Amino acid sequence: MYRISLILTSFIFLSFSLGINAQSVLDDLSGGDDTFNNAPLANEKIQKISISKRIFILSNNERSYDKGDFISLIFNDELVCRALAAKTKDNQSGVKIIKIYNLDLWNSLRAGSDVKVLRGDDSYYRKNKKDNVAESKIDDEDDLFNETTVLEDSLNIDDNKKRVIKTDNLVSLVLGKIEGLDTDGSPQRYNQLNAYWAYQVDDNIYVEAGYGQNLINDYPTLGLDAKLTNMVIRGKYTISGPMFSFIQPYVGFQVLGAESPGAGQQDPVDTRSAAELELELQKVEDLKKKSIVFGVTVLKRLVPGWFFRLDLGSDLISGGFSLEF
Protein backbone atom coordinates (compact mmCIF):
# COMPACT_ATOMS: atom_id res chain seq x y z
CA MET A 1 0.00 0.00 0.00
CA TYR A 2 2.86 2.33 0.79
CA ARG A 3 4.53 1.51 -2.52
CA ILE A 4 1.32 2.23 -4.49
CA SER A 5 0.97 5.64 -2.76
CA LEU A 6 4.60 6.46 -3.56
CA ILE A 7 4.15 5.55 -7.25
CA LEU A 8 0.96 7.64 -7.53
CA THR A 9 2.65 10.60 -5.86
CA SER A 10 5.66 10.37 -8.21
CA PHE A 11 3.40 10.10 -11.27
CA ILE A 12 1.37 13.18 -10.28
CA PHE A 13 4.53 15.21 -9.63
CA LEU A 14 6.10 14.17 -12.96
CA SER A 15 2.92 14.97 -14.91
CA PHE A 16 2.69 18.39 -13.27
CA SER A 17 6.33 19.15 -14.11
CA LEU A 18 5.94 18.07 -17.75
CA GLY A 19 2.78 20.13 -18.05
CA ILE A 20 4.60 23.23 -16.85
CA ASN A 21 7.48 22.61 -19.29
CA ALA A 22 5.12 21.96 -22.19
CA GLN A 23 3.20 25.14 -21.45
CA SER A 24 6.47 27.07 -21.37
CA VAL A 25 7.48 25.78 -24.84
CA LEU A 26 4.06 26.58 -26.28
CA ASP A 27 4.29 30.06 -24.79
CA ASP A 28 7.64 30.55 -26.50
CA LEU A 29 6.27 29.42 -29.91
CA SER A 30 3.11 31.48 -29.68
CA GLY A 31 4.57 34.64 -28.22
CA GLY A 32 3.27 37.98 -29.29
CA ASP A 33 6.48 39.06 -31.10
CA ASP A 34 6.40 38.81 -34.90
CA THR A 35 9.43 36.65 -35.80
CA PHE A 36 9.65 38.22 -39.28
CA ASN A 37 10.10 41.64 -37.78
CA ASN A 38 13.74 40.76 -37.14
CA ALA A 39 14.06 38.19 -39.94
CA PRO A 40 17.47 38.52 -41.65
CA LEU A 41 17.42 39.65 -45.27
CA ALA A 42 20.09 38.39 -47.66
CA ASN A 43 21.80 40.99 -49.82
CA GLU A 44 22.00 39.65 -53.36
CA LYS A 45 22.38 40.96 -56.92
CA ILE A 46 20.33 40.39 -60.06
CA GLN A 47 22.76 38.98 -62.60
CA LYS A 48 20.50 38.34 -65.60
CA ILE A 49 16.88 38.97 -66.57
CA SER A 50 15.03 37.10 -69.31
CA ILE A 51 13.42 38.95 -72.18
CA SER A 52 9.97 38.49 -70.65
CA LYS A 53 11.28 39.61 -67.22
CA ARG A 54 9.71 36.52 -65.64
CA ILE A 55 13.00 34.64 -65.13
CA PHE A 56 15.77 36.14 -62.96
CA ILE A 57 19.27 34.82 -62.35
CA LEU A 58 20.17 35.89 -58.80
CA SER A 59 23.34 35.59 -56.82
CA ASN A 60 23.03 33.32 -53.79
CA ASN A 61 26.26 34.21 -52.04
CA GLU A 62 24.74 34.06 -48.56
CA ARG A 63 23.09 30.68 -49.24
CA SER A 64 19.90 32.00 -47.72
CA TYR A 65 17.56 29.95 -49.92
CA ASP A 66 17.60 26.73 -51.92
CA LYS A 67 15.83 25.04 -54.83
CA GLY A 68 12.09 24.86 -54.23
CA ASP A 69 11.98 27.76 -51.77
CA PHE A 70 9.52 30.61 -52.12
CA ILE A 71 11.31 33.92 -51.82
CA SER A 72 10.41 37.60 -52.02
CA LEU A 73 12.51 40.40 -53.49
CA ILE A 74 12.78 43.75 -51.74
CA PHE A 75 14.10 46.77 -53.66
CA ASN A 76 14.45 50.29 -52.27
CA ASP A 77 13.00 48.96 -48.99
CA GLU A 78 9.76 47.94 -50.70
CA LEU A 79 8.40 44.51 -51.47
CA VAL A 80 8.52 44.02 -55.25
CA CYS A 81 7.62 40.45 -56.17
CA ARG A 82 7.22 36.84 -55.11
CA ALA A 83 9.31 34.13 -56.77
CA LEU A 84 10.11 30.42 -56.74
CA ALA A 85 13.72 29.25 -56.75
CA ALA A 86 13.74 26.62 -59.49
CA LYS A 87 17.47 25.91 -59.77
CA THR A 88 20.60 26.69 -57.77
CA LYS A 89 24.21 26.17 -58.79
CA ASP A 90 27.56 27.74 -57.86
CA ASN A 91 26.18 30.63 -55.79
CA GLN A 92 23.63 31.39 -58.49
CA SER A 93 19.91 30.69 -58.67
CA GLY A 94 17.32 30.76 -61.38
CA VAL A 95 14.00 32.04 -60.03
CA LYS A 96 10.58 32.32 -61.64
CA ILE A 97 8.44 35.36 -60.84
CA ILE A 98 4.98 34.17 -59.75
CA LYS A 99 3.48 37.31 -58.24
CA ILE A 100 4.15 41.04 -58.64
CA TYR A 101 3.42 43.35 -55.73
CA ASN A 102 4.76 46.61 -57.15
CA LEU A 103 4.67 46.82 -60.96
CA ASP A 104 6.61 50.10 -61.16
CA LEU A 105 9.51 48.77 -59.10
CA TRP A 106 9.43 45.44 -60.96
CA ASN A 107 9.76 47.28 -64.28
CA SER A 108 12.70 49.26 -62.89
CA LEU A 109 14.72 46.16 -61.99
CA ARG A 110 17.80 45.66 -64.15
CA ALA A 111 20.73 43.28 -64.37
CA GLY A 112 23.15 44.51 -61.71
CA SER A 113 20.44 45.79 -59.35
CA ASP A 114 21.04 45.06 -55.65
CA VAL A 115 18.04 43.47 -53.94
CA LYS A 116 17.23 41.95 -50.58
CA VAL A 117 15.95 38.37 -50.56
CA LEU A 118 13.47 37.12 -47.97
CA ARG A 119 12.86 33.40 -47.74
CA GLY A 120 9.42 32.11 -46.76
CA ASP A 121 6.51 34.14 -45.44
CA ASP A 122 6.48 37.79 -46.50
CA SER A 123 3.19 38.80 -44.89
CA TYR A 124 4.94 41.17 -42.48
CA TYR A 125 6.27 43.25 -45.39
CA ARG A 126 3.07 43.38 -47.38
CA LYS A 127 1.19 46.66 -47.34
CA ASN A 128 -2.56 47.03 -46.98
CA LYS A 129 -3.18 47.81 -50.61
CA LYS A 130 -4.34 45.93 -53.67
CA ASP A 131 -1.56 43.80 -55.12
CA ASN A 132 -0.81 43.98 -58.81
CA VAL A 133 -0.67 40.23 -59.33
CA ALA A 134 0.60 38.26 -62.29
CA GLU A 135 0.46 34.53 -61.68
CA SER A 136 2.61 32.02 -63.55
CA LYS A 137 3.11 28.26 -63.67
CA ILE A 138 6.37 26.38 -63.26
CA ASP A 139 6.65 22.61 -63.01
CA ASP A 140 10.41 22.02 -62.88
CA GLU A 141 13.78 23.62 -63.60
CA ASP A 142 13.48 22.90 -67.34
CA ASP A 143 10.79 25.60 -67.53
CA LEU A 144 13.50 28.17 -66.88
CA PHE A 145 14.94 27.48 -70.33
CA ASN A 146 11.76 26.56 -72.17
CA GLU A 147 11.12 29.24 -74.78
CA THR A 148 7.33 28.93 -74.50
CA THR A 149 7.41 29.41 -70.73
CA VAL A 150 10.04 32.13 -70.67
CA LEU A 151 8.90 34.20 -73.63
CA GLU A 152 5.15 33.63 -73.95
CA ASP A 153 4.56 33.98 -70.22
CA SER A 154 4.81 37.76 -70.34
CA LEU A 155 2.64 40.76 -69.74
CA ASN A 156 2.20 41.19 -73.51
CA ILE A 157 1.25 37.64 -74.36
CA ASP A 158 -1.59 38.74 -76.65
CA ASP A 159 0.84 40.72 -78.78
CA ASN A 160 3.32 37.94 -79.57
CA LYS A 161 1.27 34.75 -79.52
CA LYS A 162 1.72 34.14 -83.28
CA ARG A 163 5.44 34.88 -83.41
CA VAL A 164 7.88 31.99 -83.59
CA ILE A 165 10.62 34.40 -82.43
CA LYS A 166 9.06 36.62 -79.81
CA THR A 167 11.55 39.49 -79.81
CA ASP A 168 11.63 42.38 -82.27
CA ASN A 169 15.38 42.85 -82.70
CA LEU A 170 18.15 40.57 -83.93
CA VAL A 171 21.75 41.76 -84.28
CA SER A 172 24.32 39.52 -85.97
CA LEU A 173 28.01 39.32 -86.73
CA VAL A 174 29.09 36.88 -89.45
CA LEU A 175 32.18 35.96 -91.45
CA GLY A 176 31.48 34.92 -94.98
CA LYS A 177 32.57 34.54 -98.56
CA ILE A 178 31.58 37.30 -100.97
CA GLU A 179 32.02 37.16 -104.71
CA GLY A 180 34.43 39.56 -106.41
CA LEU A 181 37.02 39.49 -109.19
CA ASP A 182 40.63 38.44 -109.49
CA THR A 183 43.19 40.64 -111.27
CA ASP A 184 42.67 38.64 -114.48
CA GLY A 185 38.93 39.29 -114.38
CA SER A 186 37.89 35.79 -113.26
CA PRO A 187 35.37 35.34 -110.40
CA GLN A 188 36.95 35.10 -106.96
CA ARG A 189 35.45 34.82 -103.45
CA TYR A 190 36.92 36.81 -100.58
CA ASN A 191 36.51 36.64 -96.80
CA GLN A 192 34.37 39.49 -95.52
CA LEU A 193 33.08 40.45 -92.05
CA ASN A 194 29.45 41.61 -92.01
CA ALA A 195 27.13 43.02 -89.35
CA TYR A 196 23.32 42.89 -89.54
CA TRP A 197 20.37 44.38 -87.73
CA ALA A 198 16.91 42.88 -88.24
CA TYR A 199 13.62 44.28 -86.92
CA GLN A 200 10.34 42.36 -86.77
CA VAL A 201 7.87 44.72 -88.45
CA ASP A 202 4.99 42.24 -88.27
CA ASP A 203 4.42 38.72 -86.98
CA ASN A 204 7.35 36.63 -88.34
CA ILE A 205 8.31 39.29 -90.92
CA TYR A 206 11.73 40.88 -90.47
CA VAL A 207 13.40 43.71 -92.36
CA GLU A 208 17.18 43.39 -92.16
CA ALA A 209 19.98 45.78 -93.09
CA GLY A 210 23.62 44.74 -93.32
CA TYR A 211 27.05 46.18 -93.99
CA GLY A 212 30.44 44.56 -94.55
CA GLN A 213 33.83 45.30 -96.02
CA ASN A 214 37.14 43.68 -96.84
CA LEU A 215 40.45 44.54 -98.48
CA ILE A 216 41.60 42.90 -101.72
CA ASN A 217 45.38 42.89 -101.90
CA ASP A 218 47.21 43.54 -105.19
CA TYR A 219 44.06 44.64 -106.95
CA PRO A 220 43.64 46.15 -109.52
CA THR A 221 47.38 45.63 -110.02
CA LEU A 222 50.44 44.57 -108.07
CA GLY A 223 51.18 47.00 -105.24
CA LEU A 224 47.66 48.43 -105.06
CA ASP A 225 44.75 47.39 -102.81
CA ALA A 226 41.01 47.79 -103.25
CA LYS A 227 38.34 48.05 -100.55
CA LEU A 228 35.15 46.12 -101.31
CA THR A 229 32.02 47.17 -99.41
CA ASN A 230 28.73 45.30 -99.18
CA MET A 231 25.42 46.97 -98.31
CA VAL A 232 22.24 44.91 -98.36
CA ILE A 233 18.62 45.17 -97.27
CA ARG A 234 16.45 42.05 -97.01
CA GLY A 235 12.89 41.06 -96.29
CA LYS A 236 12.60 37.80 -94.35
CA TYR A 237 9.80 35.46 -93.30
CA THR A 238 10.45 33.27 -90.25
CA ILE A 239 9.41 29.60 -90.07
CA SER A 240 9.87 27.36 -87.04
CA GLY A 241 12.21 24.43 -87.70
CA PRO A 242 13.24 21.30 -85.80
CA MET A 243 15.42 21.25 -82.68
CA PHE A 244 14.94 24.92 -81.72
CA SER A 245 15.87 26.18 -85.17
CA PHE A 246 14.31 28.87 -87.36
CA ILE A 247 14.36 29.16 -91.14
CA GLN A 248 14.18 32.58 -92.82
CA PRO A 249 13.85 32.66 -96.62
CA TYR A 250 14.69 36.14 -97.88
CA VAL A 251 14.77 38.42 -100.89
CA GLY A 252 16.58 41.74 -101.00
CA PHE A 253 18.74 44.25 -102.80
CA GLN A 254 22.54 44.41 -102.67
CA VAL A 255 24.94 47.23 -103.51
CA LEU A 256 28.65 46.38 -103.85
CA GLY A 257 31.02 49.34 -103.75
CA ALA A 258 34.75 49.49 -104.42
CA GLU A 259 37.56 52.01 -104.20
CA SER A 260 41.31 51.99 -104.71
CA PRO A 261 42.88 55.42 -104.05
CA GLY A 262 46.02 54.68 -106.10
CA ALA A 263 44.28 53.29 -109.14
CA GLY A 264 44.67 55.45 -112.27
CA GLN A 265 47.03 57.83 -110.48
CA GLN A 266 50.50 58.41 -111.91
CA ASP A 267 53.50 59.94 -110.13
CA PRO A 268 56.67 61.35 -111.74
CA VAL A 269 58.60 58.04 -111.48
CA ASP A 270 55.67 55.89 -112.60
CA THR A 271 56.24 53.95 -115.83
CA ARG A 272 52.62 52.88 -116.36
CA SER A 273 51.06 53.89 -119.64
CA ALA A 274 47.78 55.75 -120.01
CA ALA A 275 46.11 52.53 -121.15
CA GLU A 276 47.27 50.71 -118.02
CA LEU A 277 46.00 53.48 -115.81
CA GLU A 278 42.62 53.36 -117.54
CA LEU A 279 42.51 49.57 -117.12
CA GLU A 280 43.08 49.93 -113.37
CA LEU A 281 40.13 52.27 -113.05
CA GLN A 282 37.99 49.91 -115.10
CA LYS A 283 38.88 46.95 -112.86
CA VAL A 284 37.77 48.90 -109.81
CA GLU A 285 34.49 49.75 -111.56
CA ASP A 286 34.02 46.07 -112.44
CA LEU A 287 33.84 45.22 -108.73
CA LYS A 288 30.82 47.48 -108.27
CA LYS A 289 27.41 45.87 -108.59
CA LYS A 290 23.74 46.41 -107.84
CA SER A 291 21.44 43.40 -107.91
CA ILE A 292 18.44 41.65 -106.45
CA VAL A 293 19.49 38.85 -104.10
CA PHE A 294 17.76 35.89 -102.53
CA GLY A 295 18.62 33.08 -100.16
CA VAL A 296 17.89 31.63 -96.74
CA THR A 297 19.09 32.28 -93.19
CA VAL A 298 19.04 29.45 -90.63
CA LEU A 299 19.10 30.26 -86.92
CA LYS A 300 19.83 27.59 -84.30
CA ARG A 301 19.14 28.54 -80.69
CA LEU A 302 22.15 27.88 -78.46
CA VAL A 303 20.97 29.39 -75.15
CA PRO A 304 18.16 31.86 -74.42
CA GLY A 305 18.93 34.99 -76.42
CA TRP A 306 21.73 33.56 -78.58
CA PHE A 307 21.68 31.82 -81.97
CA PHE A 308 24.18 30.28 -84.34
CA ARG A 309 23.51 31.75 -87.78
CA LEU A 310 24.09 30.38 -91.29
CA ASP A 311 23.43 32.38 -94.48
CA LEU A 312 23.19 30.71 -97.88
CA GLY A 313 22.43 33.31 -100.52
CA SER A 314 23.38 34.79 -103.85
CA ASP A 315 24.83 37.77 -102.00
CA LEU A 316 26.86 36.00 -99.29
CA ILE A 317 27.63 32.58 -97.83
CA SER A 318 28.47 33.05 -94.17
CA GLY A 319 28.28 31.81 -90.60
CA GLY A 320 28.23 33.62 -87.27
CA PHE A 321 26.14 34.47 -84.23
CA SER A 322 22.95 36.44 -83.53
CA LEU A 323 21.64 38.07 -80.36
CA GLU A 324 17.94 38.78 -79.78
CA PHE A 325 16.57 41.60 -77.62
Side-chain angles (χ1 to χ4, degrees), residues 6-271:
L6 182 61
I7 291 173
L8 288 176
T9 302
S10 300
F11 178 77
I12 292 171
F13 177 78
L14 181 61
S15 299
F16 181 73
S17 299
L18 289 176
I20 293 175
N21 289 336
Q23 185 177 4
S24 176
V25 172
L26 289 174
D27 288 341
D28 290 340
L29 291 176
S30 59
D33 293 338
D34 189 338
T35 56
F36 290 97
N37 189 15
N38 298 314
L41 300 177
N43 295 303
E44 303 294 352
K45 185 182 292 290
I46 298 175
Q47 297 182 343
K48 294 180 182 179
I49 299 178
S50 72
I51 297 164
S52 66
K53 294 200 69 175
R54 305 309 294 268
I55 303 295
F56 286 16
I57 304 298
L58 294 177
S59 66
N60 193 7
N61 297 321
E62 298 188 21
R63 299 298 181 97
S64 58
Y65 60 97
D66 203 352
K67 176 182 175 181
D69 286 339
F70 286 95
I71 62 173
S72 298
L73 302 185
I74 297 172
F75 183 64
N76 289 342
D77 295 325
E78 292 215 23
L79 194 64
V80 180
C81 57
R82 187 79 165 154
L84 173 66
K87 186 175 183 179
T88 60
K89 181 180 179 182
D90 298 334
N91 293 340
Q92 289 183 324
S93 296
V95 303
K96 177 85 173 184
I97 306 301
I98 57 176
K99 183 182 292 187
I100 299 170
Y101 295 125
N102 190 317
L103 186 59
D104 291 336
L105 283 179
W106 180 74
N107 284 326
S108 69
L109 293 176
R110 299 287 185 271
S113 296
D114 292 315
V115 295
K116 295 183 184 298
V117 177
L118 173 67
R119 175 186 177 186
D121 187 12
D122 62 3
S123 57
Y124 173 79
Y125 294 92
R126 270 187 263 141
K127 307 240 176 174
N128 293 324
K129 62 181 180 181
K130 184 178 180 180
D131 295 338
N132 190 349
V133 177
E135 297 290 346
S136 176
K137 292 182 178 180
I138 184 168
D139 295 324
D140 54 45
E141 64 189 51
D142 292 336
D143 286 341
L144 287 171
F145 303 100
N146 179 292
E147 183 186 16
T148 300
T149 303
V150 173
L151 297 181
E152 286 190 1
D153 184 19
S154 67
L155 297 180
N156 299 315
I157 186 170
D158 294 335
D159 295 334
N160 58 21
K161 190 182 299 182
K162 298 178 183 179
R163 300 185 177 190
V164 296
I165 298 178
K166 309 304 182 215
T167 51
D168 287 333
N169 295 276
L170 286 170
V171 292
S172 307
L173 189 65
V174 302
L175 180 64
K177 292 283 188 179
I178 192 166
E179 188 170 317
L181 297 173
D182 204 349
T183 52
D184 61 1
S186 60
Q188 175 70 30
R189 286 192 174 271
Y190 297 97
N191 292 329
Q192 189 178 75
L193 190 66
N194 281 258
Y196 295 96
W197 172 48
Y199 183 76
Q200 191 164 197
V201 296
D202 201 356
D203 290 344
N204 303 319
I205 299 175
Y206 279 89
V207 173
E208 181 177 66
Y211 176 81
Q213 69 176 44
N214 66 288
L215 196 65
I216 305 176
N217 296 318
D218 294 326
Y219 188 96
T221 190
L222 188 66
L224 295 178
D225 297 327
K227 183 174 74 173
L228 181 65
T229 59
N230 174 35
M231 292 180 289
V232 65
I233 186 167
R234 300 164 169 172
K236 295 183 168 186
Y237 186 78
T238 309
I239 304 168
S240 181
M243 300 179 65
F244 305 104
S245 65
F246 306 91
I247 302 168
Q248 296 180 313
Y250 68 80
V251 62
F253 190 75
Q254 180 187 41
V255 177
L256 290 180
E259 62 179 31
S260 180
Q265 304 295 320
Q266 190 173 38
D267 55 50
V269 295
D270 201 338
T271 60

Side-chain angles (χ1 to χ4, degrees), residues 250-252 292-296 312-316:
Y250 68 80
V251 62
I292 295 175
V293 295
F294 56 88
V296 63
L312 301 172
S314 59
D315 54 333
L316 192 71

